[in-house]
């Protein structure tokens, strides 16, 4: 079925890849993500900017159609509420951020910022390919660390679900209001300042 569109009501025109990116939760459990499309999403993340070109991110990709055991391990790190919808996604991805620079083992305070940039790049490429890519902060990070033997210098940051949308009727009713609700953001000047703190950009 065609992806359900929910473009952002932006204050000024922006590129449709950005305005059309949103976080639907109704996934087609029977439809796999093609390997080439999955690789393209990861390639987009690979080319995200990072401090000193460090590329501090690590993504653990768990494809139910290719490796059901790893997918189940990551699924089991989610709380029941997120399992109820993300359990239909064919791909779950764990994003982790390194804490040290490789060259000298000094702390890298930009790593989590950079990992977020890589995740956004992945999401935008997914949108371009007709895929949905909602992200979750709600997961058991220590359980994930243990399940995937994540080294101590890496912090599990988020889990992303990736796949194709399906009809909202396949989603638990408790999520329907979120799925169908209006997309909103605060006014631009509330968070974006012109030359001084709290001076609204207009």
């Amino acid at each position: 079925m065609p992806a359900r569109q929910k473009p952002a009501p932006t204050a000024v025109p922006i590129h449709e890849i950005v305005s059309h990116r949103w976080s639907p939760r109704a996934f087609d459990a029977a439809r796999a993500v093609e390997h080439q499309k999955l690789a393209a999403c990861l390639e987009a993340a690979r080319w995200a900017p990072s401090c000193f070109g460090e590329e501090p991110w690590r993504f653990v990709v768990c494809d139910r159609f290719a490796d059901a055991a790893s997918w189940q391990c990551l699924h089991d790190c989610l709380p029941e509420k997120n399992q109820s919808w993300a359990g239909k996604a064919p791909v779950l991805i764990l994003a982790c951020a390194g804490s040290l620079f490789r060259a000298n083992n000094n702390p890298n305070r930009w790593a989590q910022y950079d990992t977020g940039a890589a995740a956004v790049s992945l999401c935008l490429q997914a949108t371009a390919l007709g895929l949905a890519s909602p992200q979750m902060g709600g997961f058991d990070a220590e359980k994930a660390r243990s399940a995937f033997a994540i080294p101590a210098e890496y912090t599990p940051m988020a889990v992303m679900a990736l796949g194709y949308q399906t009809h909202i009727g396949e989603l638990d009713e408790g999520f329907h209001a979120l799925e169908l609700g209006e997309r909103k953001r605060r006014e631009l000047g509330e968070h974006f300042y012109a030359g001084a703190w709290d001076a609204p950009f207009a």
Side-chain angles (χ1 to χ4, degrees), residues 17-85:
I17 290 299
V18 180
S19 65
H20 282 68
R21 186 223 59 80
W22 68 294
S23 299
R25 294 176 175 85
F27 281 100
D28 185 343
R31 187 176 179 186
V33 175
E34 299 88 339
H35 181 80
Q36 186 173 3
K37 288 189 176 183
L38 179 54
C41 290
L42 302 178
E43 183 71 3
R46 184 168 82 100
W47 286 98
S50 63
C51 181
F52 294 118
E54 177 68 19
E55 303 171 48
W57 49 78
R58 299 293 184 272
F59 290 83
V60 182
V61 181
C62 302
D63 185 338
R64 178 163 44 84
F65 285 85
D67 182 356
S70 71
W71 182 94
Q72 190 65 50
C73 278
L74 189 48
H75 174 269
D76 290 348
C77 295
L78 304 176
E80 184 177 351
K81 184 176 181 180
N82 284 342
Q83 286 181 352
S84 69
W85 61 268

Side-chain angles (χ1 to χ4, degrees), residues 91-109:
V91 179
L92 295 174
I93 302 173
L94 174 64
C96 301
S99 60
L100 303 173
F101 284 109
R102 286 172 293 180
N104 53 22
N105 280 331
N106 285 339
N108 180 1
R109 75 175 187 88

Side-chain angles (χ1 to χ4, degrees), residues 97-179:
S99 60
L100 303 173
F101 284 109
R102 286 172 293 180
N104 53 22
N105 280 331
N106 285 339
N108 180 1
R109 75 175 187 88
W110 301 277
Q112 294 183 8
Y113 179 91
D114 293 342
T115 300
V120 169
S121 294
L122 193 161
C123 288
L124 294 177
Q125 182 64 37
T127 299
L129 295 172
L131 297 164
S133 56
Q135 301 176 73
M136 296 162 273
F139 72 103
D140 189 327
E142 290 311 308
K143 187 173 182 178
R145 181 184 296 282
S146 176
F148 294 100
I150 297 169
E153 64 268 26
Y154 288 88
T155 301
M157 298 300 300
V159 175
M160 184 184 303
L162 188 71
Y164 289 96
Q165 289 185 58
T166 192
H167 191 274
I168 191 173
E170 300 294 319
L171 189 65
D172 290 352
E173 286 189 9
F175 291 105
H176 285 196
L178 284 171
E179 197 83 353

Side-chain angles (χ1 to χ4, degrees), residues 3-22:
R4 191 166 54 261
Q5 300 296 320
K6 196 174 177 181
T10 60
V12 297
I14 61 175
H15 197 286
E16 66 176 19
I17 290 299
V18 180
S19 65
H20 282 68
R21 186 223 59 80
W22 68 294

